[in-house]
Amino acid sequence: MPTAWGPLTDEQLEERRIVGINAETVTHTSANDIPGHYGPQQDDTWDLDRFTEQLKVDFHQNEPYDAVFSLVGVDASIANAFRRILVAEVPTLAIEDVFVFNNTSIIQDEVLAHRLGLIPLTGGEEGLQWMRWFRKPPPKDDYAAQATFEEEGHDPSESVPSDYNTVVMTLDVECRWATTELDGRDGKALAKAGSTDPEERYVNTNVFARDLVFEPQGGQEKLFAGENRIRPTNPDILIAKLRPGQKIHVRVHCIKGIGADHAKFSPVATASYRLLPKIEIKEPILDADAKKFARCFPRGVIEIVDDAKTGRKKAVVKDTMKDTVSRECLRHPEFVDKVKLGRYRDHFIFSVESTGQIRSDELFLDSVRLLKAKSERFKRHLDDLEEGR
């Protein structure tokens, strides 16, 4: 324990970053960068300059709705805060109220409303940012909730549907028998007599998300014009199946909300992270053992190369990001003393898959802004407590 007599070396500091992966256990799961933990010579107090130097964000994949990036130099609590904010606190637009005028399908009204609510929507970014929250007032008989609603200072106009807080869409589809002539809606030749295919026998037998028609209100005509109109992210989502004589005619109101209120408002399909694996080969693994060692990992993690000194085949680590830390290599006695597995406790590989309303990279920036706002609000409360003493 030389740490009591002086600062930690670079090797020791690097070792503190590693979570140990053993055959049956996981060790060093808790961070130990606590001031005074390693003796008076080691300074572990939090420093802004040091934090800024260590903090890194590197994107590995940045598709519009599927991003993978590394967040390095933060504690697990901060990384998990970003993940929870992504899932539950970034506001998005979704269907909230469904007004059923006619529904003669076999799907009950409440089930139909639930299906419609779960359809992800998208539209012009500028218009979606312009839209405000729609605050539903509490029930009239809930006096405590009403008092809280008033104490929070909500504007009564927030509870009245208008063009800046509510989007209106209509679904009006009726199924009918097909004819042998061209159909005015589809513009294609329809079924011949005796056909058993529902797609040929009937018109509008399937109700898809693309059948939802956006009805702009007020200023929405400019903000959501053309390609910026409010529409389902995936137009091919199947809502219902109909038969001749059945009809669905509903009008829906879409409002902004957060995933903490309902999962339909969550802007992400998945938001997860994992720690970067570390594979350290302590002794050379050669020839047949090298091939066997490579098969213990997913394809692309271990590479077989020619050893310049011996001319033999040797296993080397190629890309640890592809590793799933299966610990398969530790099941073979010949590898137990030759390899050491671990994970970097401060290197998080994030995967953010957007539902289509907000780009994945923008979602992460939104989570940073929200965490910053929460921190500033908490700091103001602390200042108020200090002043009240």
Side-chain angles (χ1 to χ4, degrees):
M1 297 290 292
T3 57
W5 304 99
L8 296 177
T9 64
D10 293 340
E11 293 77 9
Q12 290 169 328
L13 288 172
E14 182 70 12
E15 188 66 23
R16 292 173 64 181
R17 297 180 59 203
I18 306 301
V19 176
I21 305 295
N22 307 312
E24 301 292 342
T25 60
V26 179
T27 57
H28 302 98
T29 57
S30 300
N32 48 29
D33 49 351
I34 303 170
H37 185 83
Y38 276 92
Q41 300 297 325
Q42 181 65 32
D43 184 13
D44 282 318
T45 56
W46 191 85
D47 181 78
L48 178 60
D49 294 333
R50 183 170 56 192
F51 173 78
T52 304
E53 182 181 353
Q54 295 176 351
L55 179 64
K56 296 179 182 178
V57 179
D58 296 324
F59 274 82
H60 310 293
Q61 175 182 325
N62 192 14
E63 300 295 331
Y65 304 119
D66 189 8
V68 179
F69 60 91
S70 289
L71 178 63
V72 187
V74 299
D75 187 74
S77 59
I78 302 300
N80 196 48
F82 288 136
R83 183 191 67 83
R84 291 177 64 90
I85 291 173
L86 283 169
V87 171
E89 298 189 40
V90 177
T92 58
L93 186 75
I95 294 173
E96 173 68 8
D97 295 315
V98 179
F99 303 94
V100 182
F101 300 132
N102 193 0
N103 177 23
T104 56
S105 69
I106 63 172
I107 300 178
Q108 299 92 333
D109 292 352
E110 58 272 22
V111 176
L112 177 62
H114 185 262
R115 288 190 179 187
L116 291 171
L118 293 177
I119 296 176
L121 303 176
T122 187
E125 293 184 8
E126 181 182 354
L128 290 172
Q129 293 176 357
W130 169 78
M131 289 193 62
R132 305 180 191 175
W133 284 63
F134 180 86
R135 308 273 185 182
K136 279 193 170 183
K140 294 182 179 181
D141 55 351
D142 192 342
Y143 301 105
Q146 282 189 346
T148 303
F149 190 77
E150 295 175 359
E151 289 175 0
E152 291 177 351
H154 293 302
D155 187 346
S157 63
E158 294 177 347
S159 303
V160 178
S162 63
D163 60 341
Y164 60 81
N165 62 22
T166 304
V167 169
V168 179
M169 303 180 77
T170 298
L171 176 65
D172 189 2
V173 180
E174 181 177 5
C175 181
R176 64 182 187 275
W177 289 97
T179 65
T180 56
E181 300 175 356
L182 291 180
D183 180 68
R185 178 187 175 95
D186 298 332
K188 64 180 182 181
L190 299 178
K192 296 181 180 180
S195 174
T196 59
D197 186 356
E199 296 286 342
E200 295 181 351
R201 296 184 66 188
Y202 318 125
V203 179
N204 299 333
T205 181
N206 295 323
V207 182
F208 293 101
R210 59 173 171 264
D211 294 319
L212 284 164
V213 180
F214 170 54
E215 297 181 354
Q217 310 291 321
Q220 296 175 0
E221 292 186 2
K222 295 182 179 179
L223 290 170
F224 299 114
E227 293 298 323
N228 293 326
R229 73 186 187 283
I230 300 296
R231 61 195 185 277
T233 301
N234 185 352
D236 296 327
I237 295 176
L238 182 64
I239 299 175
K241 286 180 174 290
L242 302 180
R243 288 298 180 263
Q246 296 180 346
K247 182 177 182 179
I248 294 178
H249 182 198
V250 300
R251 177 170 293 167
V252 301
H253 283 186
C254 315
I255 65 173
K256 267 191 171 182
I258 57 176
D261 295 333
H262 196 284
K264 66 185 178 183
F265 291 113
S266 182
V268 295
T270 57
S272 61
Y273 61 79
R274 59 188 178 95
L275 297 178
L276 176 68
K278 179 183 180 182
I279 305 171
E280 180 183 353
I281 300 178
K282 301 165 64 176
E283 298 181 16
I285 302 176
L286 306 172
D287 301 330
D289 284 348
K291 295 181 179 179
K292 181 178 180 181
F293 184 72
R295 290 196 297 268
C296 293
F297 297 88
R299 188 186 300 272
V301 176
I302 303 297
E303 185 178 19
I304 307 298
V305 299
D306 293 325
D307 190 350
K309 294 182 179 180
T310 63
R312 303 169 66 182
K313 299 293 184 181
K314 182 176 69 171
V316 296
V317 179
K318 180 181 180 181
D319 188 359
T320 57
M321 282 193 61
K322 296 180 179 180
D323 184 32
T324 57
V325 195
S326 64
R327 295 188 274 192
E328 174 64 24
C329 63
L330 300 179
R331 302 177 187 271
H332 303 278
E334 60 267 36
F335 301 139
V336 171
D337 297 327
K338 295 183 178 181
V339 64
K340 184 177 180 181
L341 302 181
R343 290 192 179 191
Y344 291 94
R345 69 171 72 254
D346 62 346
H347 189 137
F348 302 90
I349 304 173
F350 267 84
S351 177
V352 179
E353 182 182 349
S354 171
T355 56
Q357 191 167 135
I358 308 174
R359 297 193 312 273
S360 293
D361 56 349
E362 185 64 29
L363 280 173
F364 176 66
L365 296 177
D366 285 343
S367 69
V368 174
R369 297 187 191 102
L370 285 169
L371 184 59
K372 180 181 178 181
K374 283 173 171 285
S375 302
E376 293 175 344
R377 185 164 59 250
F378 181 68
K379 186 176 182 297
R380 287 196 300 269
H381 290 324
L382 290 179
D383 294 338
D384 293 340
L385 289 175
E386 287 292 331
E387 293 177 0
R389 288 187 175 181

